[in-house]
Structures are given as structure tokens and as C-alpha cells.
Amino acid sequence: MGKIKDIHERLIKNPAEFTEIRLLVAKRTLAFFIAFYFVSLLFTIGGFSFWPFLISTIAQITFHAYSLLVISLGWFLYELAVYTEQIYMMNKKWFPLLIGVLSSLFVIFGLFAHIKSLFGI
């Protein structure tokens, strides 16, 4: 428990370190979903299948992996804006808000086909 308390105190003393950790997590999550999406896309396009997955199952995985990719890209753009504001643009709180709105619009536009099929339009 003491180790957690030390980490918590260190992050409170230096908020830039917490911002860097958040950016690193967003970056690695984005890298994972990029790799996952393109591997599943290549399996779908190439017609490769293996024991538990048929081509139709891999195509469904690719369809849903795309939505995860777009969401993680929007999250990464927001975290990059927060990091940029923290490091380069001291006390400009409007910048992450603006990028948050723009990345939300990007995610909604990128998932338009998914949203459209969800509501049956």
C-alpha cells in the first residue's frame, strides 16, 4: 500500500508525468488496434481462415475492429491535445476542449455506417 501512496504523491507533485502516462497508454492502445484491424482485414481479403473462425466470422471481427480503431484514434487525438496543451501551451484550456469536440465529430462521422445500421436507417 505504501508503494501506491508514493506513486500517487509523485503524480500529484508532477501533473505533466500523469499526462505523459495517459498519452503513452492512448498511443499503445491505438497501435494495438491498428495492428488488430489490419491483420483481420488481411485475413478477410486474403481468404485465410483457421480452425475456430470462418471467413464470415473474421469479416465480422474486421467490421467491429474498425469501430474500435476509430474510437481509439479519437481518444489518441484528444490525449495528444491535452499533452500539447500541458507542455507547449500553458493554461490554454480551450485547446483540449476544441480538439475533444473535433475528435468526437471525427468518431461520429467515422462510425456513421455503424450508427446508421444500428438505428435501421
Side-chain angles (χ1 to χ4, degrees):
M1 202 61 160
K3 193 104 166 144
I4 295 172
K5 191 174 183 179
D6 292 339
I7 292 171
H8 184 266
E9 288 174 4
R10 189 176 79 198
L11 291 177
I12 288 175
K13 288 179 185 174
N14 189 5
E17 186 175 358
F18 182 64
T19 304
E20 290 175 10
I21 291 171
R22 286 177 41 187
L23 179 66
L24 181 66
V25 169
K27 188 174 15 174
R28 289 185 179 176
T29 304
L30 178 65
F32 172 77
F33 282 118
I34 287 172
F36 180 68
Y37 173 72
F38 283 111
V39 166
S40 65
L41 182 68
L42 288 175
F43 269 70
T44 302
I45 292 172
F48 297 115
S49 63
F50 45 95
W51 174 69
F53 302 111
L54 301 172
I55 296 295
S56 60
T57 307
I58 295 174
Q60 289 175 349
I61 290 171
T62 304
F63 180 75
H64 294 294
Y66 173 77
S67 62
L68 294 173
L69 176 65
V70 169
I71 291 168
S72 65
L73 184 59
W75 176 39
F76 172 73
L77 291 175
Y78 175 72
E79 290 299 332
L80 185 63
V82 170
Y83 177 77
T84 303
E85 185 269 331
Q86 179 87 29
I87 302 299
Y88 300 112
M89 303 163 62
M90 301 294 185
N91 299 323
K92 301 242 192 282
K93 297 294 180 189
W94 57 269
F95 186 69
L97 181 65
L98 174 70
I99 299 299
V101 169
L102 291 176
S103 66
S104 297
L105 290 174
F106 169 77
V107 168
I108 290 170
F109 180 72
L111 297 179
F112 184 70
H114 293 255
I115 294 169
K116 188 174 152 183
S117 68
L118 182 67
F119 292 114
I121 298 173

